[in-house]
Amino acid sequence: MDLEPRFTEDEIREAVARIARAIEADVPRPDTTRPLLLVGVLKGSFVLLADLVRELTIPAEVDFVRARSYGAGTTSAGAVEITKDLETDVTGRDVIVVEDIAETGRTMDAICAHIAASRPASLRRCALLVREGGPAEDDPPDYAGLRVGPGFVVGYGLDHAERYRGLRDIRALPEDGPPA
Ligand code: IMP
Ligand code: MG
């Protein structure tokens, strides 16, 4: 395939395991009546969430939100709108928002602000990828997998115009755009 490899399946697996161990370390006495709630940000986080919930050795529930930032294509735009809300009552729950990649951090910030309004017991942020040199690197997620340099990346849930989500590894699109 005409895409430059960025992270192998092994590197991704190790990053997910590191995240899971860090989460477990923060939950020394898991509460089985009110387990951790992982909130995946659709659609890009769905592969990560599937791997993370299976890697964790403590109970976790899952739910999803969907956010749209205005503007399309390969740049993150300004305003973020939540287009699919949680179905779980998060009041008093320990919540971790799980995103594929944090770049400006605006998507994560908007979703966290929305969830915070329902008064969870705790609210943490997780992203598999954090863009090097981006604002999200200065204010990193509580759980971050891998730092990624410039260039639009796809695979492992991440898309370009809905393509490539099923790639097992993470690859970069050529600078002149995706192959036909
Ligand atoms: P932020 O709001 O600027 O942090 O952007 C985060 C969102 O932009 C992610 O949830 C992705 O949907 C999208 N995004 C940013 N960079 C990439 C990329 O390289 N590949 C795929 N999606 C990306
Ligand atoms: Mg996306």
Side-chain angles (χ1 to χ4, degrees):
M1 191 177 295
D2 217 18
L3 304 171
E4 178 204 326
R6 279 297 172 90
F7 299 109
T8 64
E9 285 186 69
D10 277 349
E11 288 172 314
I12 297 166
R13 198 177 304 116
E14 283 162 20
V16 174
R18 279 197 303 275
I19 290 171
R21 301 295 86 78
I23 292 173
E24 288 158 4
D26 288 343
V27 188
R29 279 177 298 280
D31 180 348
T32 46
T33 59
R34 297 178 114 191
L36 201 61
L37 178 68
L38 304 177
V39 173
V41 181
L42 291 171
K43 300 178 193 173
S45 73
F46 80 107
V47 178
L48 169 62
L49 206 73
D51 281 347
L52 184 58
V53 73
R54 289 180 294 178
E55 178 64 27
L56 283 169
T57 58
I58 57 175
E61 295 180 4
V62 302
D63 200 347
F64 293 93
V65 291
R66 181 134 166 71
R68 179 169 58 201
S69 49
Y70 294 100
T74 56
T75 53
S76 330
V80 178
E81 181 196 3
I82 290 161
T83 56
K84 183 224 170 289
D85 205 348
L86 291 168
E87 292 168 13
T88 311
D89 178 5
V90 295
T91 305
R93 298 291 300 267
D94 293 307
V95 177
I96 301 179
V97 178
V98 179
E99 208 185 9
D100 50 3
I101 175 169
E103 192 161 61
T104 65
R106 284 199 207 101
T107 306
M108 187 64 96
D109 287 349
I111 288 166
C112 284
H114 175 70
I115 294 175
S118 299
R119 303 201 165 276
S122 66
L123 181 56
R124 295 197 179 86
R125 307 173 300 164
C126 170
L128 179 66
L129 304 178
V130 176
R131 184 75 75 186
E132 262 169 25
E137 199 181 28
D138 299 328
D139 179 22
D142 303 277
Y143 309 105
L146 300 158
R147 298 165 67 223
V148 63
F152 199 82
V153 289
V154 295
Y156 196 74
L158 292 107
D159 75 305
H160 178 263
E162 297 303 324
R163 279 179 76 186
Y164 308 117
R165 292 196 197 274
L167 289 180
R168 291 174 168 271
D169 57 358
I170 294 176
R171 295 168 181 249
L173 289 186
E175 259 174 61
D176 54 358

